[in-house]
């Protein structure tokens, strides 16, 4: 399997982990009774649970671009060491994005996000020259 597809597999695992972490913290912050019940009344999550929800939303927005690039590189055979590096950078930056967002340490979330975009750029460059 190509490195890009390996990181695509990791990206799906990260999505599952991200959803589980976010849902668990959100439910815990709202109360177990509420979480296990019909959830008829609206309850706001804790500050950290809210950040993790926004981080998950951001991940879901960015994941399709990574999926498209990883699959296109595999289908076209244009994967290189640079595109593999781009996939690795994108993945690990997205891993770093979760605690960076949750911790609210200034600039860390933005650095992780821009780093992940750099990974996507490395993946797209060979496709532009094809």
């Amino acid at each position: 399997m190509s490195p890009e597809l390996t990181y695509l597999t990791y990206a799906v695992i990260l999505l599952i982990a991200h959803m589980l972490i976010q849902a668990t913290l959100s439910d815990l912050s709202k109360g177990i009774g509420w979480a296990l019940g019909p959830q008829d009344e609206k309850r706001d999550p804790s500050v950290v649970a809210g950040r993790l929800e926004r981080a998950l939303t951001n991940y879901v927005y960015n994941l399709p671009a990574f999926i498209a690039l990883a699959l296109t590189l595999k289908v076209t055979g244009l994967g290189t060491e640079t595109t593999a590096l781009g996939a690795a950078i994108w993945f690990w930056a997205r891993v770093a994005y979760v605690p960076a967002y949750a911790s609210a340490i200034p600039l860390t979330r933005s650095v992780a996000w821009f780093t992940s975009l750099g990974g996507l750029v490395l993946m797209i460059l060979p496709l532009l020259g094809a």
Side-chain angles (χ1 to χ4, degrees):
M1 183 162 46
S2 70
E4 296 84 1
L5 291 185
T6 299
Y7 278 106
L8 179 54
T9 303
Y10 295 162
V12 172
I13 294 168
L14 178 59
L15 175 64
I16 293 166
H18 207 324
M19 289 187 303
L20 289 172
I21 292 166
Q22 183 274 323
T24 300
L25 286 179
S26 180
D27 286 351
L28 289 175
S29 75
K30 296 173 185 176
I32 295 295
W34 179 88
L36 297 176
Q39 302 178 2
D40 291 331
E41 66 184 69
K42 173 113 171 93
R43 289 191 183 176
D44 291 328
S46 68
V47 172
V48 174
R51 288 181 194 145
L52 288 173
E53 185 175 328
R54 293 187 299 276
L56 176 59
T57 299
N58 184 275
Y59 185 76
V60 170
Y61 288 162
N62 285 269
L63 184 58
F66 180 75
I67 293 169
L69 288 171
L71 293 176
T72 301
L73 288 165
K74 178 63 177 175
V75 168
T76 61
L78 293 174
T80 65
E81 289 182 12
T82 301
T83 61
L85 176 63
I89 289 170
W90 182 87
F91 175 76
W92 291 110
R94 294 310 308 194
V95 168
Y97 187 85
V98 177
Y101 205 142
S103 68
I105 298 170
L107 295 175
T108 57
R109 175 183 59 89
S110 297
V111 168
W113 187 78
F114 278 112
T115 301
S116 74
L117 284 184
L120 292 178
V121 168
L122 290 177
M123 293 175 73
I124 204 169
L125 288 176
L127 298 172
L128 294 175

